[in-house]
Amino acid sequence: MKKVFLGWLTFSLVMAAISCDQKAASKYPGYDEIENGLFLKYHTKNEEGRIVNIGDIITLYMNYTTEDDSVLFDSSQDPRPVQMRADSGKFDGDFMGVFIGMNEGDSVSVMVNADTFYMKSAGYPETPPFIDSASMLKFTLAVKKVETMEEIEAQQAEANKAGEVEEMEILESYLNTNGITTAPTASGLIIIPTKAGNGLKPQVGQEVSVNYKGYLIDGRYFDTSDEEAAKENGVYNPGRDYAPFTFTLGQGQVIPGWDEGIQQIAEGGEATLIIPSKLAYGANPRPGGVIQAFNTLIFEVELVDVK
């Protein structure tokens, strides 16, 4: 598909093309062959909806099946929305180009060769063995939302700002409730010494071993190297070796709050690190569901060894 489908993308022109293309209509009734091996049928045409342009991010309902209607994918079964960047097709039969010129609120069905879709559009190394490469796939698509990348970035920035403000309010309340007056470092890290060490403080590039207990402001544990603490707080993994965690300091192998905080503890010492999300995982939730966006993390750490 080497051109953008502007001619067929208005409803009237699609209907006219279908009426003129008897061959396509007889092969797949109600469909218009808009490219070699690519067939389109409108279900809903929303002339008032926002038009999809190249580069827009579209939110979709997507379902696709084999020719005999065996379902291969149905986005309604996934809580995450299907989103993609709208682009013109890159070759004849590339169904990715069908969105250009559609309207928000439009719904269509598209028939496309299985081999073309898997090998070219989707970039698979080969068509799945359970799919006849010469067969057709049927896509049912509904354009739910159309946004520019700039709009999405602005929305994300606003959401991030709100998340950061809320995090700081929760942190301030926690500090006040617990009578913590330790001043943060320039980065915002709070280091509360709990036991003095008898060795030297580690330097960037040295290998350190650390025992730790990690939990959120609300007390929920998410990880620990202490087996008993893991059992007591519902995070025990019987397949895990509970031992000090070893890493090279200052090499980005841990979150920034650890790289900074561990440098301030002498070997054998202990401290509590209160780490705002900007020094941890920021707006990115972690697998497992405990650490969410803009969560401040608290670690009780013991610097066991420095090499």
Side-chain angles (χ1 to χ4, degrees), residues 60-106:
L60 301 169
Y61 163 76
M62 177 185 290
N63 169 289
Y64 60 93
T65 70
T66 60
E67 284 190 81
D68 62 3
D69 293 325
S70 296
V71 176
L72 300 172
F73 176 79
D74 184 351
S75 66
S76 67
Q77 304 305 307
D78 193 327
R80 297 166 299 181
V82 173
Q83 290 185 311
M84 63 178 61
R85 181 183 182 276
D87 202 353
S88 58
K90 304 303 183 185
F91 50 84
D92 282 351
D94 183 6
F95 107 105
M96 297 300 292
V98 303
F99 301 104
I100 306 301
M102 288 178 66
N103 297 78
E104 189 173 271
D106 284 0

Side-chain angles (χ1 to χ4, degrees), residues 7-278:
W8 54 268
L9 284 169
T10 63
F11 191 67
S12 60
L13 290 181
V14 169
M15 295 298 101
I18 291 175
S19 66
C20 293
D21 192 346
Q22 297 300 319
K23 180 180 178 180
S26 62
K27 188 173 184 180
Y28 300 109
Y31 285 78
D32 175 28
E33 186 170 13
I34 56 176
E35 281 281 351
N36 183 28
L38 187 65
F39 301 83
L40 175 81
K41 178 173 69 174
Y42 266 86
H43 301 296
T44 304
K45 182 65 180 176
N46 178 25
E47 297 284 3
E48 302 302 317
R50 184 172 181 174
I51 296 176
V52 178
N53 294 300
I54 292 174
D56 286 345
I57 306 301
I58 49 178
T59 302
L60 301 169
Y61 163 76
M62 177 185 290
N63 169 289
Y64 60 93
T65 70
T66 60
E67 284 190 81
D68 62 3
D69 293 325
S70 296
V71 176
L72 300 172
F73 176 79
D74 184 351
S75 66
S76 67
Q77 304 305 307
D78 193 327
R80 297 166 299 181
V82 173
Q83 290 185 311
M84 63 178 61
R85 181 183 182 276
D87 202 353
S88 58
K90 304 303 183 185
F91 50 84
D92 282 351
D94 183 6
F95 107 105
M96 297 300 292
V98 303
F99 301 104
I100 306 301
M102 288 178 66
N103 297 78
E104 189 173 271
D106 284 0
S107 62
V108 299
S109 286
V110 179
M111 300 289 290
V112 60
N113 173 261
D115 213 29
T116 299
F117 170 70
Y118 282 111
M119 300 280 290
K120 294 184 177 181
S121 296
Y124 280 53
E126 61 182 13
T127 299
F130 56 87
I131 300 291
D132 179 356
S133 62
S135 68
M136 301 292 282
L137 301 179
K138 178 183 177 182
F139 285 78
T140 300
L141 309 165
V143 179
K144 298 295 188 181
K145 194 170 186 179
V146 180
E147 301 168 283
T148 66
M149 181 59 75
E150 291 75 16
E151 288 171 335
I152 289 178
E153 290 173 347
Q155 292 167 15
Q156 188 60 59
E158 189 65 28
N160 288 350
K161 182 178 179 180
E164 291 167 357
V165 169
E166 182 179 11
E167 178 188 8
M168 290 300 101
E169 290 174 348
I170 293 172
L171 176 56
E172 183 177 0
S173 175
Y174 174 83
L175 297 175
N176 290 336
T177 299
N178 290 275
I180 298 172
T181 58
T182 304
T185 66
S187 70
L189 175 67
I190 297 175
I191 306 171
I192 305 173
T194 54
K195 177 184 175 182
N198 53 17
L200 298 175
K201 292 181 179 180
Q203 303 296 312
V204 170
Q206 288 188 295
E207 186 177 86
V208 296
S209 295
V210 180
N211 273 322
Y212 65 93
K213 300 173 184 177
Y215 48 91
L216 303 182
I217 277 179
D218 63 11
R220 285 180 297 158
Y221 270 63
F222 52 83
D223 194 15
T224 179
S225 63
D226 185 316
E227 185 172 353
E228 290 306 312
K231 291 177 179 178
E232 291 173 2
N233 292 280
V235 293
Y236 178 66
N237 179 356
R240 171 178 172 175
D241 182 20
Y242 286 90
F245 175 65
T246 299
F247 67 99
T248 302
L249 192 62
Q251 304 302 307
Q253 297 177 1
V254 292
I255 58 175
W258 264 49
D259 264 338
E260 179 183 349
I262 299 302
Q263 291 183 60
Q264 303 306 315
I265 304 171
E267 185 176 14
E270 299 177 12
T272 297
L273 306 180
I274 301 178
I275 306 176
S277 65
K278 65 181 180 178

